[in-house]
Amino acid sequence: MKVKPTKSELKLSLLGYGLARKLAAIFGVMISVFVIAVIFFNVQTQVELVRERLDLRSQQLLRLGLEVSMPYLIEGRPGELEAIFEEISNQPDVERFYLLDEYGTLLVDGSDVEIGGFLAEIDDPLARQAFDQKEQIRIVADNIESIAHPIVLGHNTYGTMRLDVRLDTLRNEIRTVWVRNAILGGVFIFLGMTISIILARRLTEPLIHLTQVTERAAAGDLNQTIDVQTNDEIESLAHSFETMLVTMRGSIQQIHRLAYIDKLTEIPNRAWFSDQLERVTVAAAMRGERFAIMFLDVDNFKTINDRHGHHVGDALLVALSKRLTHCVTDLGLEAATIDQPRGLTQTSALIARLGGDEFTLILPERYAERVAIGIVNSMKVPVDTKQVSITVTTSIGVGVFPVHARSANDLLKVADAAMYQAKQAGQNCYQYYDEKLHEELLSVSQIQNELRTAIEEEQFVLYLQPQFDVKTGDVSGAEALVRWNHPEKGLLTPDVFLPVAASSGLLPFIGREITRLAISIAKDIQAIAHKDFVLAINLSVEELLEPDFVSDLVDLIHQTGVDPSGLEIEITENTAMFDNDAAVFNIDLLRSIGVRLAIDDFGVGFSNLARLKNLAFDTLKIDKSLLPGMNGRSDAKKLFNTILELSRVVDANVVAEGIETQEQLAFLRTTHCQNFQGYLGGRPVTAGDFIVWLNRQSNCSFTNVV
Ligand code: C2E
Ligand code: CA
Ligand code: CA
């Protein structure tokens, strides 16, 4: 993983290390001062030596002049000294060399340029002074050192020797000394600086390494090795720090697990998924890649939970999460875990549990369809829990980035919407998101919202549809049917809103309202109808399972004083097949107080006749699709009669539903079917209209209500 450059790394790349620079500067200054001092001292010494050497030479020249001159002077033959003085004067650094007697008369002159002829009087104050003081006098002027030396023998002073030496040589040599030392000094300072920098870096490198590790750790990267071997306090500091990192890593992993792992299934949870979806979306947008998101929901999970209990539901979710992982790994994809470096690759997939029975997957788009098919197929194998072996199905919605949505939030909505579509398409399948479906779903969620208001504002009304005796045409009962008096859309039939109410858990609220209205009208009906009149109320599985729903209904029946034997609850064939203790208990509770039981829509479900028989129902309502002529079956009449035979065996009353024509009624009259319900007899009408109509039925025979 590429870590962002830390502050110290930035400083390094631009200016060098802070501490190293300071140390290098300190070492550098110290070395420079030392070198300069040494060089200065060295120059002084060398210059001194040069001076001494040149002085010695002047003195030697003088001594030489003196020694050779003395005998000649004593003997009064100074003229013979000419050659020696010339020799000395010809030395490169000698400007002039001559000899004066005690009167200042020039006796010998070695110079080419004469200052006066032989025995000329020379005004030489320096020579005079030396003569007078009997000691050597020296002065320096105009780059020339003039030395006047008296010629003394015993108490006699014979004259003065004068030597002028050019100081060029001295100056040149001093300059050379300076230059040589300056170069040497420069080299030493350069070397000193270089060594300082190297030394400073050496000293600070472990500290810098530690600093970088600290900064990276502070930036969230705790997976670091600290390589410091200095055999000193820094090394032990590094060890302590490494131990701290290991401890922190452990704690953070622990925190990470608690925050991002679903406790039940031990796969990543919603928080991790949301975080990853954001990242994957941003990364895919930057790289121009596609990916798919899957929303998976177990079909009828609530029912399984209700029927078998929560431990079975939990075991099922654990098994499902494992299957999902296998479906992904079977295709060569890697299932990402929360411990892995963040971000998904083109060969990995993220599986998470969003909560409840909802799972999500993020994976490369090209794998999406194969994974979806794999999941649907994998569900064919029953899940063995300790208690039971269950076959479950799932509905899967697939959304693709960036085709269906571009933001993490929208992608999730899209996949959720596609999943809903898969449910609508009959469950146990996968669906890719499409725009049209989205609009439909919007209207679903709108209905949900409106339903909540409708429940609060009691917008539901009760309609009643009469049932008749086939033979006599007398009114035998009525079915209570709900209608929604929508403030804008008008009167809505249940097919528009009951499925939405059921899927959003609102059905029991509507049921409470309708049963309340039905029981209150039952009281009025029982006051005017004959004693065998039966008022049927539809109950769904959601209502049967809703805590207190049935017990409250029983209480209501008792409170209102309605005769329970004049009431019948209708449960669909499929609800009747639903093997749930709570539902059975509630049905038995109603039956125990004398309420009748009808099996509704018989013929469209998947009945287990043995189980139906156990339910001891009173009425069988044959679905209109089973009426001869309605389903194109040549053996329809035979089938219809078989059902009638069956009901005779179990001693059940039969109501044929959806009778619209006289022909259908005529057919019924040729059978043993006792009752019918349908538009031919009367359409559903408001409870008020029904009472008025019922009152008018003096002989209670059927005439069309509408
Ligand atoms: P269902 O229990 O089978 O109710 C009979 C349905 O058939 C009613 O539709 C009724 O209007 C319709 N119907 C009656 N005679 C005829 C006919 O001759 N031809 C045709 N084509 N249809 C006829 P509705 O009122 O739209 O109700 C639909 C379903 O909604 C009901 O089917 C029932 O399953 C459910 N339902 C209605 N009211 C309630 C309620 O209060 N609670 C519950 N849980 N479900 C209800
Ligand atoms: Ca019904
Ligand atoms: Ca029915």
Side-chain angles (χ1 to χ4, degrees):
M1 182 180 49
K2 182 102 183 97
V3 179
K4 226 173 55 171
T6 59
K7 261 199 267 168
S8 64
E9 279 165 335
L10 277 177
K11 265 190 245 156
L12 166 68
S13 53
L14 298 173
L15 304 160
Y17 303 114
L19 182 60
R21 263 173 35 228
K22 279 182 201 155
L23 280 180
I26 292 168
F27 290 158
V29 167
M30 279 164 61
I31 288 171
S32 302
V33 168
F34 178 73
V35 168
I36 288 168
V38 168
I39 293 291
F40 197 72
F41 179 74
N42 196 32
V43 167
Q44 292 283 89
T45 316
Q46 286 184 13
V47 166
E48 203 54 44
L49 283 174
V50 169
R51 277 186 205 283
E52 273 175 22
R53 187 164 49 77
L54 289 179
D55 194 47
L56 201 66
R57 182 175 149 73
S58 304
Q59 297 302 332
Q60 272 173 350
L61 285 175
L62 278 172
R63 201 175 309 126
L64 181 69
L66 210 60
E67 275 168 14
V68 293
S69 306
M70 200 58 89
Y72 291 96
L73 287 175
I74 292 167
E75 289 167 20
R77 300 184 283 136
E80 289 173 33
L81 287 169
E82 201 73 35
I84 294 164
F85 271 63
E86 262 174 32
E87 179 70 19
I88 292 174
S89 292
N90 282 341
Q91 294 296 311
D93 53 335
V94 176
E95 175 75 15
R96 185 171 291 276
F97 189 43
Y98 58 86
L99 188 84
L100 301 175
D101 65 7
E102 63 254 58
Y103 309 108
T105 312
L106 183 64
L107 293 182
V108 190
D109 184 5
S111 313
D112 297 340
V113 186
E114 293 200 350
I115 48 165
F118 179 58
L119 297 180
E121 284 268 327
I122 301 292
D123 181 24
D124 184 343
L126 191 69
R128 171 88 12 233
Q129 195 184 346
F131 183 84
D132 292 345
Q133 292 175 6
K134 288 190 184 165
E135 62 178 28
Q136 197 182 70
I137 306 285
R138 333 167 49 139
I139 57 161
V140 175
D142 296 336
N143 201 24
I144 290 191
E145 181 175 34
S146 303
I147 309 167
H149 194 88
I151 306 167
V152 182
L153 188 67
H155 295 291
N156 295 333
T157 305
Y158 292 90
T160 318
M161 201 172 285
R162 162 82 183 256
L163 176 68
D164 282 6
V165 186
R166 278 194 293 275
L167 291 178
D168 291 356
T169 318
L170 175 70
R171 296 251 157 94
N172 284 342
E173 284 201 28
I174 290 175
R175 192 178 303 125
T176 310
V177 165
W178 269 113
V179 169
R180 211 188 301 129
N181 279 281
I183 290 170
L184 208 63
V187 169
F188 275 124
I189 289 176
F190 176 74
L191 281 177
M193 281 296 197
T194 313
I195 291 167
S196 308
I197 290 169
I198 293 169
L199 205 68
R201 288 213 166 181
R202 268 282 157 88
L203 280 175
T204 52
E205 234 156 44
L207 282 174
I208 284 150
H209 181 55
L210 266 181
T211 313
Q212 287 172 348
V213 168
T214 317
E215 283 172 1
R216 288 205 203 104
D221 176 16
L222 300 177
N223 291 319
Q224 299 188 69
T225 43
I226 306 175
D227 183 23
V228 172
Q229 282 160 0
T230 52
N231 210 10
D232 57 14
E233 289 86 346
I234 298 178
E235 188 175 329
S236 60
L237 174 70
H239 274 309
S240 313
F241 194 71
E242 194 155 25
T243 315
M244 191 181 85
L245 278 186
V246 170
T247 318
M248 272 171 76
R249 265 202 303 264
S251 312
I252 283 176
Q253 268 168 4
Q254 184 71 16
I255 294 168
H256 224 62
R257 282 193 73 75
L258 287 175
Y260 292 125
I261 287 283
D262 175 57
K263 270 202 205 109
L264 177 67
T265 58
E266 298 200 327
I267 63 171
N269 64 11
R270 177 186 280 271
W272 178 254
F273 167 79
S274 306
D275 188 61
Q276 288 299 305
L277 184 58
E278 285 288 347
R279 284 166 188 274
V280 172
T281 311
V282 172
M286 266 164 39
R287 295 194 209 118
E289 287 171 359
R290 288 172 162 224
F291 70 91
I293 162 169
M294 273 187 199
F295 201 108
L296 189 143
D297 188 276
V298 181
D299 298 326
N300 310 315
F301 183 70
K302 188 177 179 313
T303 313
I304 294 165
N305 240 348
D306 290 337
R307 187 189 281 191
H308 300 289
H310 283 282
H311 13 281
V312 171
D314 285 355
L316 192 70
L317 292 174
V318 173
L320 280 188
S321 68
K322 289 199 178 116
R323 281 193 192 178
L324 293 184
T325 310
H326 279 134
C327 288
V328 160
T329 51
D330 284 353
L331 289 176
L333 283 169
E334 187 193 356
T337 68
I338 64 159
D339 302 322
Q340 281 165 339
R342 297 181 166 208
L344 286 182
T345 65
Q346 280 299 305
T347 54
S348 64
L350 181 115
I351 308 163
R353 182 184 170 211
L354 281 195
D357 59 336
E358 291 172 353
F359 292 87
T360 43
L361 287 95
I362 307 174
L363 67 172
E365 190 213 358
R366 61 206 161 92
Y367 286 96
E369 187 149 26
R370 279 183 288 159
V371 168
I373 293 170
I375 295 172
V376 171
N377 285 338
S378 77
M379 297 298 153
K380 288 179 184 153
V381 182
V383 175
D384 288 319
T385 66
K386 274 184 201 148
Q387 291 83 355
V388 276
S389 173
I390 327 166
T391 306
V392 286
T393 58
T394 59
S395 300
I396 305 166
V398 188
V400 177
F401 173 90
V403 184
H404 300 136
R406 292 181 161 272
S407 76
N409 205 14
D410 289 350
L411 270 171
L412 194 59
K413 280 190 197 155
V414 154
D416 186 18
M419 185 276 292
Y420 192 77
Q421 170 74 355
K423 294 255 185 214
Q424 300 294 96
Q427 306 183 329
N428 194 21
C429 62
Y430 69 92
Q431 288 280 328
Y432 274 73
Y433 173 80
D434 83 60
E435 191 69 34
K436 216 175 108 239
L437 133 85
H438 185 58
E439 275 153 28
E440 279 172 29
L441 286 167
L442 278 182
S443 73
V444 166
S445 73
Q446 194 189 343
I447 291 174
Q448 277 180 0
N449 289 336
E450 289 175 356
L451 272 175
R452 288 194 180 91
T453 318
I455 291 163
E456 270 172 33
E457 297 179 359
E458 298 184 350
Q459 291 171 4
F460 298 100
V461 284
L462 178 70
Y463 270 57
L464 293 170
Q465 185 182 26
Q467 293 170 351
F468 300 92
D469 187 298
V470 172
K471 295 265 153 15
T472 64
D474 292 346
V475 177
S476 56
E479 181 177 3
L481 296 163
V482 64
R483 295 288 180 269
W484 179 6
N485 202 357
H486 194 283
E488 285 135 34
K489 296 174 192 158
L491 202 65
L492 301 178
T493 49
D495 53 310
V496 182
F497 60 90
L498 278 196
V500 182
S503 67
S504 49
L506 297 171
L507 194 51
F509 295 97
I510 300 171
R512 278 184 186 272
E513 178 64 5
I514 288 304
T515 46
R516 189 181 63 77
L517 293 170
I519 299 299
S520 111
I521 205 74
K523 184 86 185 137
D524 300 341
I525 289 173
Q526 284 180 359
I528 51 173
H530 57 77
K531 67 172 180 44
D532 294 329
F533 188 100
V534 174
L535 178 66
I537 302 170
N538 293 286
L539 284 192
S540 65
V541 68
E542 289 83 2
E543 289 157 325
L544 281 174
L545 293 174
E546 176 76 5
D548 300 337
F549 186 95
V550 170
S551 58
D552 287 352
L553 176 60
V554 169
D555 288 348
L556 191 68
I557 294 168
H558 288 319
Q559 283 160 18
T560 45
V562 170
D563 177 8
S565 66
L567 295 174
E568 188 167 72
I569 55 154
E570 290 188 8
I571 59 170
T572 62
E573 188 186 359
N574 287 341
T575 304
M577 285 301 106
F578 180 52
D579 184 13
N580 176 279
D581 291 346
V584 172
F585 176 86
N586 282 325
I587 292 168
D588 286 348
L589 180 64
L590 285 164
R591 285 186 58 79
S592 70
I593 64 160
V595 175
R596 295 162 58 91
L597 175 66
I599 304 299
D600 202 359
D601 301 343
F602 185 78
V604 294
F606 311 93
S607 297
N608 175 332
L609 290 178
R611 190 172 147 63
L612 269 188
K613 195 165 166 278
N614 284 344
L615 267 175
F617 55 92
D618 303 282
T619 303
L620 199 65
K621 294 188 78 176
I622 304 180
D623 192 76
K624 58 178 174 289
S625 62
L626 258 68
L627 283 174
M630 297 299 282
N631 53 14
R633 285 179 69 149
S634 55
D635 58 348
K637 284 186 182 171
K638 212 170 144 193
L639 182 71
F640 197 85
N641 278 315
T642 311
I643 295 169
L644 287 175
E645 277 309 311
L646 170 85
S647 60
R648 239 204 341 214
V649 173
V650 293
D651 195 23
N653 176 42
V654 177
V655 180
E657 292 189 289
I659 302 303
E660 296 179 356
T661 62
Q662 288 293 351
E663 289 75 35
Q664 287 170 330
L665 182 61
F667 163 72
L668 288 185
R669 285 196 178 122
T670 68
T671 69
H672 298 293
C673 178
Q674 297 96 330
N675 301 97
F676 79 93
Q677 179 183 347
Y679 295 164
L680 181 69
R683 285 177 181 264
V685 291
T686 61
D689 286 350
F690 187 83
I691 295 286
V692 172
W693 172 81
L694 196 60
N695 267 322
R696 269 200 257 126
Q697 303 302 304
S698 48
N699 58 1
C700 282
S701 74
F702 104 81
T703 47
N704 210 330
V705 243
V706 182

